[in-house]
């Protein structure tokens, strides 16, 4: 698979979230709130932990444990992009600021 540009990842992520909002309206009559999105992210982040345990041999592995781990890592990144956007946080800026600050703290 070709390398994904971060700007493209953000655009595609937000488009997918719009499509999910349409499904939420169809099934529930309203879009999920930011809090519901955050809870969904935390659930998927927890599943990253469980799949990591499985990958490391510390939890019984399912049939497609590796694929599920990869999927949940990608999904967690997607949720962070969505959450940042919904809360008017520029994810590119905050990631860049975090990396710069942390590099300085570590003497890089």
């Amino acid at each position: 698979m070709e390398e994904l540009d971060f700007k493209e990842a953000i655009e595609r992520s937000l488009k997918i979230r719009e499509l999910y909002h349409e499904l939420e309206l169809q099934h529930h009559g309203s879009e999920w709130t930011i809090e519901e999105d955050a809870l969904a992210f935390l659930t998927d982040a927890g599943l990253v932990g469980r799949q990591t345990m499985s990958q490391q041999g510390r939890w019984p592995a399912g049939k497609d444990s590796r694929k599920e781990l990869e999927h949940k890592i990608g999904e967690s990144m997607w949720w962070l992009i969505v959450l940042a956007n919904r809360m008017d946080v520029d994810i590119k800026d905050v990631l860049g600021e975090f990396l710069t600050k942390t590099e300085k703290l570590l003497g890089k």
Side-chain angles (χ1 to χ4, degrees), residues 4-71:
L4 181 64
D5 173 81
F6 197 51
K7 181 180 177 186
E8 178 188 357
I10 293 169
E11 291 169 359
R12 290 171 63 189
S13 293
L14 298 179
K15 179 61 180 167
I16 289 169
R17 189 66 191 101
E18 288 175 21
L19 295 171
Y20 274 116
H21 279 313
E22 290 176 18
L23 289 174
E24 293 156 7
L25 286 168
Q26 287 175 9
H27 293 285
H28 307 291
S30 64
E31 295 178 356
W32 279 13
T33 64
I34 294 171
E35 293 89 347
E36 288 170 313
D37 279 359
L39 181 58
F41 161 67
L42 291 173
T43 300
D44 287 329
L47 290 170
V48 168
R50 178 57 53 93
Q51 292 300 328
T52 298
M53 290 176 66
S54 179
Q55 193 254 2
Q56 294 295 306
R58 303 297 287 173
W59 189 262
K63 285 193 293 188
D64 293 323
S65 182
R66 175 69 185 205
K67 284 288 182 198
E68 187 62 21
L69 173 61
E70 291 171 357
H71 178 82

Side-chain angles (χ1 to χ4, degrees), residues 59-98:
W59 189 262
K63 285 193 293 188
D64 293 323
S65 182
R66 175 69 185 205
K67 284 288 182 198
E68 187 62 21
L69 173 61
E70 291 171 357
H71 178 82
K72 287 301 173 187
I73 288 173
E75 190 170 14
S76 293
M77 294 172 69
W78 172 77
W79 274 122
L80 288 172
I81 290 169
V82 167
L83 286 166
N85 177 263
R86 290 197 73 191
M87 293 185 282
D88 296 320
V89 173
D90 186 319
I91 196 159
K92 295 183 306 297
D93 287 348
V94 297
L95 178 58
E97 290 170 13
F98 167 80

